Amino acid sequence: KIYKHREQYERVKNDRKMREVMERAVEFCSFFAYPNGHYAGTVGSRQTLHFYPHGFELLAPELPLAGAVADAMLDGLKNGALVPPAIQDDRYCQYRVPEFLLSYVDYGRRTYAGEQDRPRLPYERAPFEKHFPNGRLFIKKTPRSYFVVNLAKGGVVKQFDLDRKKLIFNDCGVLAELEDGRLATSQWIDKDYRIAVEPPKLEIAGAAHVVPTKTFTPLKFIAFRLAMLAIGWNAWMAYQMKGLIRKLLMTRSARMPLGFERRIEMDGDALKITDTIVLKGVNVRRLLIGDEMPLRYVPQSRYFQPQELDVEGWPAPPEAIACLNRQQRLTVTRTVHDGAIQVEFQ
């Protein structure tokens, strides 16, 4: 928005750096505009599915790729693949509705003459491999498939069939329920994860994290409301309280006595994912590998999307749980081809 009105501001009207940052941002975002019209999701740190189109519309007359991304996401919105304000909590209405209204008002003129001249989105380009080392993201395009992997988040994997424009495989990592009731997951961003990127093989290893599951009892809820009434009127105290709640529910998560190693091997359109789970003096009650699992508590995530019905995970059978608890170690190998999954464990 500043860039739109830059001629009014001496400090930014000739700022080339601002333009370069936006160009890079548009290019980066384009990798997460998926063939089925969805955007981002559990591959991201906040696992949100929202697409904010206004900035793309403002840039469209100057940056053809911005217009192409906006057009693709507009089709996704029309087909129910995004999160419209109608299904969000009413407190988001005040800026989600204006976002779409402003996008309509500032709908940017497209600089390409027609479909033939439209810039190709990453999933439409020639086959490639792309690694973002700082973000620990890996993307691969083949003639028939589009893969997105977030190694920083424990190795979250998505695979799309380009011919059918469909999500055919989705893996949000390991989710285990210990015998004491705690939940452990590999789907957490931890700077200490050990990561190796040597295409076609990707590896990640580390310690699982506890899934925060704070809930209010009636007494705790009354105490919380009284505390907010007592100190919430003070802006500084209110922000301190908000920071504490954010740590408890969203950002802070202790490591668990459960280690994991994940190896992802890509062979053309086929995937081979090998997960090794190592227990450290605890037992597991239930275990799920894969599926769509937005585990971090983020207020604007966890909206149901129809694509979730196209994928499923692997719930470990009783014999696999028994093997894991007895040996304190379990290796699960899944071979994925055309969305069909073959599982072996030992």
Side-chain angles (χ1 to χ4, degrees):
K1 292 176 174 65
I2 292 174
Y3 183 74
K4 176 186 176 183
H5 301 289
R6 62 192 181 280
E7 297 303 326
Q8 302 176 26
Y9 304 100
E10 287 295 327
R11 291 178 59 188
V12 300
K13 69 180 181 180
N14 296 314
D15 190 346
R16 176 62 191 171
K17 183 178 180 181
M18 180 184 291
R19 170 65 182 263
E20 290 174 352
V21 167
M22 290 187 295
E23 288 177 355
R24 292 172 62 190
V26 168
E27 175 68 20
F28 180 75
C29 289
S30 71
F31 285 96
F32 308 99
Y34 300 139
N36 62 351
H38 290 262
Y39 182 75
T42 42
V43 76
S45 61
R46 289 175 56 85
Q47 67 209 14
T48 50
L49 304 137
H50 304 83
F51 177 75
Y52 289 83
H54 188 214
F56 289 83
E57 293 297 348
L58 293 178
L59 288 173
E62 301 179 44
L63 197 60
L65 182 60
V69 174
D71 286 343
M73 292 297 96
L74 187 58
D75 284 340
L77 179 66
K78 179 180 67 176
N79 296 322
L82 296 181
V83 181
I87 66 172
Q88 294 183 274
D89 292 340
D90 53 7
R91 66 181 182 274
Y92 298 120
C93 235
Q94 60 181 324
Y95 62 90
R96 291 293 284 144
V97 171
E99 174 76 17
F100 286 106
L101 293 176
L102 287 169
S103 299
Y104 176 80
V105 170
D106 289 323
Y107 181 84
R109 177 181 58 82
R110 305 311 191 231
T111 54
Y112 41 89
E115 179 63 23
Q116 293 299 320
D117 298 322
R118 177 179 62 82
R120 301 296 102 180
L121 297 178
Y123 72 82
E124 299 172 307
R125 297 172 188 171
F128 68 88
E129 292 180 352
K130 177 71 174 178
H131 179 214
F132 292 98
N134 292 331
R136 297 180 170 185
L137 292 152
F138 184 85
I139 295 127
K140 179 178 178 178
K141 160 72 166 53
T142 72
R144 291 183 52 211
S145 297
Y146 188 68
F147 300 90
V148 181
V149 182
N150 188 345
L151 294 161
K153 207 178 180 188
V156 173
V157 184
K158 294 182 185 292
Q159 180 184 2
F160 298 88
D161 183 291
L162 296 176
D163 293 332
R164 292 180 286 170
K165 294 189 174 181
K166 182 179 180 181
L167 178 69
I168 59 171
F169 180 74
N170 194 86
D171 186 334
C172 284
V174 174
L175 178 64
E177 181 184 10
L178 305 187
E179 283 195 334
D180 60 11
R182 289 181 298 169
L183 295 176
T185 182
S186 62
Q187 190 204 133
W188 205 266
I189 293 180
D190 186 336
K191 61 181 176 59
D192 293 327
Y193 284 161
R194 301 181 302 279
I195 293 172
V197 178
E198 299 175 356
K201 184 171 65 175
L202 313 173
E203 293 182 337
I204 178 167
H209 284 249
V210 66
V211 179
T213 54
K214 302 288 184 183
T215 55
F216 278 139
T217 64
L219 286 177
K220 287 182 180 178
F221 187 70
I222 290 171
F224 174 75
R225 298 293 291 181
L226 289 174
M228 293 304 296
L229 286 171
I231 66 175
W233 58 270
N234 181 282
W236 185 83
M237 291 296 292
Y239 277 113
Q240 296 303 307
M241 178 69 78
K242 182 178 180 180
L244 175 62
I245 293 171
R246 186 186 292 115
K247 287 181 181 179
L248 290 174
L249 294 180
M250 303 178 196
T251 58
R252 189 170 65 186
S253 174
R255 293 190 176 101
M256 297 288 281
L258 186 154
F260 74 94
E261 298 175 5
R262 167 165 285 195
R263 184 169 68 249
I264 303 167
E265 298 172 80
M266 300 178 178
D267 182 11
D269 299 304
L271 273 173
K272 183 180 180 182
I273 301 179
T274 305
D275 290 300
T276 299
I277 300 161
V278 180
L279 303 182
K280 301 175 182 178
V282 296
N283 284 337
V284 164
R285 185 185 300 162
R286 290 188 297 168
L287 174 69
L288 175 66
I289 302 179
D291 215 337
E292 176 72 351
M293 300 184 296
L295 294 178
R296 278 188 70 187
Y297 175 77
V298 178
Q300 287 203 63
S301 72
R302 301 182 179 181
Y303 291 97
F304 169 74
Q305 297 283 276
Q307 65 174 352
E308 296 174 28
L309 300 175
D310 296 328
V311 295
E312 59 183 354
W314 182 75
E319 55 269 28
I321 298 292
C323 178
L324 173 60
N325 289 332
R326 183 176 63 253
Q327 300 179 359
Q328 294 285 284
R329 185 184 184 93
L330 181 72
T331 297
V332 180
T333 302
R334 289 167 297 151
T335 304
V336 185
H337 186 71
D338 275 341
I341 307 173
Q342 181 180 351
V343 184
E344 298 176 357
F345 64 88
Q346 60 181 12

